[in-house]
Amino acid sequence: MKAITLYLVVTGATYFDQLDRFQGWSGTPLTPDGLAASQAVGQQLSTVKFDTAFASDTSRGAQTGRAILSQQAVAPELQLKPALRAPFFGGFEGQEQAAVWSGFATKLGYPTVTAFEIDQTPAELQGLLHDHDSASLAENGDEFWQRYTAGLAQVTAATPDQGQVLVVIDASALQTLIFDITGQVATPQRLAASTITIVDQVDGQRTLRTN
């Protein structure tokens, strides 16, 4: 039996966040405020001894992870894993999110975008993008989650028993992870840039820590 603690930190705010654009595999840098917030998170976590540290290989993942680890007295090497990328949105990459979701809400007969979003699981949202991607490149929900859980398995294998690991995560990936653990749709506040979510994992079973 192996027990580890995952400190999941949402990537710092990027220019695509500022512009409300889909950013899955797209590489967009952190804004100055996003970088400062990542450094502040690092200061907040400076007393946590991380045994390992991981992020996706996107620019925002690497920037966020390095900013956090720069505040550690002794930091592990940041390992960049393609498997830890956010979902791939295919032809929707870079498009305005509000316009896309509003279009789906209207097409499906919802009175508001909010009513539409709270009625969809993360996998269903990703499935809509997959099914309507004119480029036929977007992952569906199952494809994303299989890939991401394989990345988490790499994290688990590299982290010692009773170890603590930093995982820089995209909001869309965290949304799916929280739904997988709790069966509940995460609030926007929980998914905001530079927020911290702690997950205890014992023998592969994950529990969301109240923090």
Side-chain angles (χ1 to χ4, degrees), residues 15-205:
Y15 287 98
F16 265 21
D17 288 320
Q18 186 173 314
L19 297 169
D20 187 37
R21 305 287 176 173
F22 281 99
Q23 55 175 351
W25 291 11
S26 300
T28 53
L30 302 187
T31 64
D33 285 347
L35 180 58
S38 298
Q39 292 168 337
V41 170
Q43 186 60 42
Q44 185 179 346
L45 297 176
S46 61
T47 59
V48 179
K49 181 186 178 300
F50 291 119
D51 297 282
T52 54
F54 292 86
S56 74
D57 61 345
T58 60
S59 55
R60 63 186 179 277
Q63 277 187 286
T64 300
R66 288 168 183 151
I68 294 170
L69 293 176
S70 71
Q71 306 301 308
Q72 294 269 308
V74 179
E77 178 185 359
L78 181 65
Q79 301 183 54
L80 304 179
K81 299 291 185 181
L84 294 178
R85 292 178 187 175
F88 186 34
F89 300 124
F92 289 100
E93 295 273 343
Q95 291 193 30
E96 184 183 359
Q97 295 192 81
V100 170
W101 295 133
S102 178
F104 280 128
T106 300
K107 182 177 181 179
L108 296 173
Y110 287 89
T112 65
V113 175
T114 299
F116 157 74
E117 289 181 334
I118 64 176
D119 199 38
Q120 310 294 317
T121 68
E124 287 170 340
L125 290 173
Q126 187 62 30
L128 284 170
L129 298 176
H130 169 270
D131 293 345
H132 293 83
D133 177 18
S134 60
S136 299
L137 293 172
E139 291 177 299
N140 65 34
D142 287 341
E143 288 169 338
F144 161 67
W145 192 233
Q146 288 173 11
R147 169 175 60 77
Y148 200 84
T149 52
L152 291 177
Q154 296 177 43
V155 170
T156 300
T159 305
D161 186 31
Q162 305 300 319
Q164 301 185 112
V165 52
L166 169 68
V167 180
V168 177
I169 190 169
D170 283 272
S172 51
L174 180 60
Q175 183 178 43
T176 303
L177 180 60
I178 288 176
F179 189 84
D180 181 69
I181 295 172
T182 68
Q184 302 294 318
V185 176
T187 63
Q189 293 77 17
R190 169 73 87 172
L191 304 174
S194 302
T195 53
I196 303 168
T197 297
I198 302 175
V199 169
D200 296 304
Q201 179 178 297
V202 180
D203 201 23
Q205 298 299 310

